[in-house]
Amino acid sequence: MASTLEALQRWVDDVAALTRPAHIHWCDGSNVEYQTLVQQMLASGELVELNQDTHPGCYLHRSHPSDVARVEHLTFVCSRDEQDAGPNNHWMAPAEAHSKMDALFDGCMEGRTMYVIPYCMGPIDSPLARCGVEITDSPYVVINMRKMTRMGALAQARIEREGTFVKGLHSTGELDPERRFIMHFPEELAIKSYGSGYGGNALLGKKCHALRIASWQANQEGWLAEHMLIVGIENPKGETHYIAAAFPSACGKTNLAMLIPPEGYRRDGWKVWTVGDDICWMRPGDDGRLYAINPEAGFFGVAPGTSNDSNPNALSTIARDTIFTNVAVTADNQPWWEGLPGTPVTDWQGRPYDPANGPAAHPNSRFTVSAKQCPTWSPKAEDAQGVPISAIVFGGRRPSLLPLVMQANDWTHGVLMGAAMGSETTAAAAGAVGVLRRDSMAMKPFCGYHYGDYFSHWLSFDRPGAKLPKIFHVNWFRKGEDGKFLWPGFGENLRVLEWMIGRIDGTANGVHSPIGTVPAKGELRTEGLAVSPNALTELLDIDLAGWQAELTAIGQYLESFGARLPQRLRAEQQRVAQALGDAAQPSRRAVAS
Ligand code: OXD
Ligand code: MN
């Protein structure tokens, strides 16, 4: 018997009976185990060694060309009641989903090794952490899970102590898009994923457990599982504010989590501490504040665009012991992607690079690396109690209308801002890129239950004794008439975070507007900033007519959640719409009052 926990042993036995592997390997998470798997994968061609002088311990994996992103149209929440999954999810009845999946898993591991991966999401001794076990036939999944989670013997010991765990079953199957499904059974704390080896579909601790299943659990247990980075901003006085920020996939969470302060800020003593780049679990502490942990132990970051200009910290993090997926390579076998200096000779599919075939690296090519390698990794990231959150930030790719930054009046208004979030789609999910879609709290692909209930859950944190974070909305992606970005982004974003901290500390006044509070003239520090005064005005401009149309669209979107939409959110949308109407026609307000 490989586990003293009967429920775990029985489940593993049942899965083995169904999938019929040649071998079963219980992962202990050791370095020897990792190195052995790497050697096997090098021998089988699943990994390619990169230049070990420039990138020691780095390897390249090329996935099947049809398996390069999350597949939202093949991802299901199989709650008992269809209504609980909501219009924001695809739904299938649990019995139907189980029989569909079990037919796919039947005998699928014949002749192969089945790996049993016990893992912990969050610091191993944290009361906020949760455990799971992933069974997979993919050694690529095992080596990635080792970087992304606390995996192995310690996690198994915790599971055996606690007796509960999320069950994740995965097989790469035939990589046939027609036989590919990612199914979630929230009431059973179970996941079944077949037919894809791509991170978001196959590393089940990440999106499937830490967001879809965890958001369901969080709703029942009074906490939040969110698609957010966590960053600590230390001011020259040595005070650190932790900020959690929700942006959709491939919209710069990793860059913000690792930002390098502009020159003047560095000189003054500002520092940035990375706690997480993708997922945040938050719960109220005894003092009423929200405390957050990053459930992950590594980064599964988007490679293209990561450069010395955009994110030097990420670049130095991935200089060693990193698994690259679907990047290109140079003549001397270094990993390469668009945005890096040098020239690719081989593209992501292993073909000689030809620009006629498109980008050399796949736009959703990735790096997997242990977070401990990040130069700005926060010592607090391992804190069992988590870090106190001062601000929550929402944001998306909005080429127009949305100002650089605005602050919500209060929690309810902030929840509306998060619910109304929209963004242009990116290559992180299969489908068209650059199409504007609503993506409430950046959780559209990840909320494991009805969005209406999710909004109610968010609103429920506003209760007596709560000392909630302030809520802001940012837009780094606003474009001018020439189609170019108005804001330089990256390290310069600290200027915006400094204003937020000023609002929290009471040192920045801001200007009130119908859509929220924006920086007053001169409040954003501009010394050393290469943005013209006109661009700055445009970035903070509020187009009342455009906003009225936006509020109408937000209202229609909210109504799509039907009877489960909380009345408080509907009333808040109406309040903002009314305030905009009054501001657009001041005379009407005068007559009315
Ligand atoms: C991710 C995503 O991989 O959001 O983090 O797609
Ligand atoms: Mn993500």
Side-chain angles (χ1 to χ4, degrees):
M1 194 157 117
S3 175
T4 55
L5 184 67
E6 207 206 318
L8 173 54
Q9 186 64 53
R10 200 175 342 110
W11 174 59
V12 171
D13 291 345
D14 289 349
V15 169
L18 175 68
T19 59
R20 299 191 289 283
H23 307 282
I24 300 180
H25 176 86
W26 287 72
C27 297
D28 62 11
S30 65
N31 191 37
V32 172
E33 178 180 80
Y34 177 83
Q35 296 302 344
T36 308
L37 285 171
V38 165
Q39 291 312 316
Q40 281 171 16
M41 293 175 74
L42 287 170
S44 70
E46 281 164 279
L47 285 184
V48 176
E49 192 169 75
L50 290 166
N51 186 327
Q52 295 298 298
D53 294 327
T54 57
H55 291 77
C58 291
Y59 304 97
L60 166 65
H61 172 75
R62 292 194 181 104
S63 75
H64 190 278
S66 74
D67 186 31
V68 290
R70 284 183 290 98
V71 281
E72 292 175 13
H73 58 297
L74 303 174
T75 300
F76 290 76
V77 168
C78 309
S79 45
R80 265 183 240 129
D81 180 348
E82 178 173 4
Q83 295 305 315
D84 290 339
N88 44 305
N89 282 301
H90 299 293
W91 177 84
M92 198 180 285
E96 186 190 344
H98 277 305
S99 70
K100 192 179 193 67
M101 295 307 278
D102 291 352
L104 295 172
F105 280 110
D106 192 359
C108 74
M109 297 189 193
E110 269 170 13
R112 314 181 61 174
T113 299
M114 176 175 115
Y115 300 93
V116 181
I117 313 172
Y119 63 86
C120 179
M121 301 309 293
I124 196 86
D125 57 347
S126 171
L128 283 76
R130 295 298 162 97
C131 292
V133 178
E134 174 165 359
I135 297 180
T136 180
D137 53 9
S138 161
Y140 170 80
V141 166
V142 180
I143 61 171
N144 277 270
M145 284 290 280
R146 183 165 185 272
K147 294 193 183 297
M148 296 303 297
T149 71
R150 282 92 174 164
M151 174 265 248
L154 287 177
Q156 187 171 335
R158 178 166 170 166
I159 290 167
E160 286 168 353
R161 238 179 11 252
E162 293 181 339
T164 52
F165 60 98
V166 169
K167 298 186 179 94
L169 174 55
H170 168 256
S171 170
T172 39
E174 306 79 14
L175 297 175
D176 174 357
E178 299 297 319
R179 287 163 59 83
R180 179 176 295 161
F181 295 99
I182 296 92
M183 303 278 190
H184 304 74
F185 304 88
E187 284 110 342
E188 301 167 40
L189 301 185
I191 305 153
K192 291 185 177 175
S193 166
Y194 189 90
S196 168
Y198 171 72
N201 305 327
L203 309 179
L204 301 185
K206 192 174 177 64
K207 302 299 183 182
C208 301
H209 177 167
L211 288 175
R212 296 193 193 98
I213 298 286
S215 61
W216 174 288
Q217 287 182 293
N219 182 36
Q220 296 186 334
E221 299 168 9
W223 50 285
L224 288 164
E226 298 300 323
H227 192 204
M228 293 178 175
L229 67 96
I230 310 167
V231 66
I233 308 293
E234 184 179 328
N235 68 17
K237 287 190 264 175
E239 300 154 345
T240 304
H241 281 286
Y242 293 93
I243 296 177
F247 306 139
S249 309
C251 287
K253 285 198 293 301
T254 308
N255 292 340
L256 190 68
M258 297 182 190
L259 77 73
I260 305 242
E263 166 61 25
Y265 283 73
R266 285 205 298 276
R267 200 184 46 228
D268 292 350
W270 288 79
K271 294 198 181 93
V272 169
W273 298 105
T274 309
V275 180
D277 81 327
D278 194 44
I279 304 183
C280 166
W281 287 358
M282 283 182 282
R283 104 170 31 237
D286 293 341
D287 60 359
R289 298 188 71 184
L290 286 185
Y291 284 79
I293 59 163
N294 169 14
E296 300 191 281
F299 306 122
F300 179 64
V302 179
T306 306
S307 70
N308 239 331
D309 293 332
S310 66
N311 194 340
N313 277 325
L315 217 54
S316 76
T317 306
I318 60 182
R320 66 178 175 91
D321 298 313
T322 302
I323 301 161
F324 292 92
T325 302
N326 292 338
V327 299
V329 288
T330 61
D332 65 346
N333 211 21
Q334 295 192 47
W336 191 92
W337 49 83
E338 280 67 17
L340 282 184
T343 333
V345 294
T346 307
D347 76 4
W348 65 277
Q349 297 191 54
R351 301 173 299 194
Y353 173 55
D354 177 353
N357 288 332
H362 187 274
N364 193 34
S365 54
R366 299 279 179 149
F367 52 78
T368 318
V369 66
S370 164
K372 290 203 180 94
Q373 290 180 203
C374 178
T376 51
W377 185 235
S378 165
K380 291 279 187 189
E382 301 293 335
D383 197 319
Q385 301 308 321
V387 293
I389 298 296
S390 302
I392 288 177
V393 181
F394 297 117
R397 281 179 195 267
R398 294 295 296 260
S400 61
L401 194 68
L402 273 284
L404 178 63
V405 58
M406 56 186 178
Q407 182 188 358
N409 298 347
D410 56 21
W411 187 258
T412 306
H413 185 207
V415 174
L416 177 69
M417 273 184 185
M421 254 176 74
S423 195
E424 291 182 336
T425 50
T426 68
V433 167
V435 179
L436 190 74
R437 75 162 178 181
R438 297 274 163 209
D439 187 351
S440 300
M441 280 83 169
M443 284 286 278
K444 166 75 186 73
F446 309 119
C447 180
Y449 63 106
H450 197 299
Y451 250 159
D453 296 340
Y454 173 78
F455 300 147
S456 295
H457 184 48
W458 263 84
L459 291 170
S460 75
F461 285 83
D462 187 7
R463 54 186 173 236
K467 295 198 185 70
L468 294 169
K470 304 285 180 236
I471 300 184
F472 299 84
H473 188 289
V474 298
N475 180 21
W476 314 136
F477 299 95
R478 188 149 165 177
K479 290 181 177 166
E481 268 172 11
D482 58 1
K484 295 204 178 111
F485 290 119
L486 288 167
W487 179 250
F490 304 109
E492 306 297 351
N493 293 339
L494 184 57
R495 299 172 190 274
V496 175
L497 302 186
E498 183 192 13
W499 179 77
M500 291 177 190
I501 293 169
R503 290 292 299 154
I504 293 161
D505 289 346
T507 52
N509 291 326
V511 180
H512 192 68
S513 88
I515 56 162
T517 302
V518 294
K521 213 171 169 49
E523 268 183 357
L524 269 189
R525 199 155 131 191
T526 51
E527 163 216 335
L529 176 71
V531 172
S532 71
N534 282 350
L536 211 56
T537 307
E538 205 175 330
L539 277 161
L540 293 171
D541 173 54
I542 295 165
D543 160 11
L544 286 177
W547 268 102
Q548 282 180 299
E550 172 77 354
L551 258 288
T552 303
I554 292 169
Q556 282 160 356
Y557 166 70
L558 292 180
E559 288 310 328
S560 71
F561 300 108
R564 295 207 190 189
L565 178 74
Q567 179 53 29
R568 212 166 117 198
L569 206 56
R570 184 179 283 125
E572 186 63 14
Q573 180 273 342
Q574 285 162 0
R575 185 195 64 73
V576 179
Q578 177 73 47
L580 278 162
D582 291 348
Q585 284 174 296
S587 54
R588 197 171 72 187
R589 188 174 35 188
V591 171
S593 57

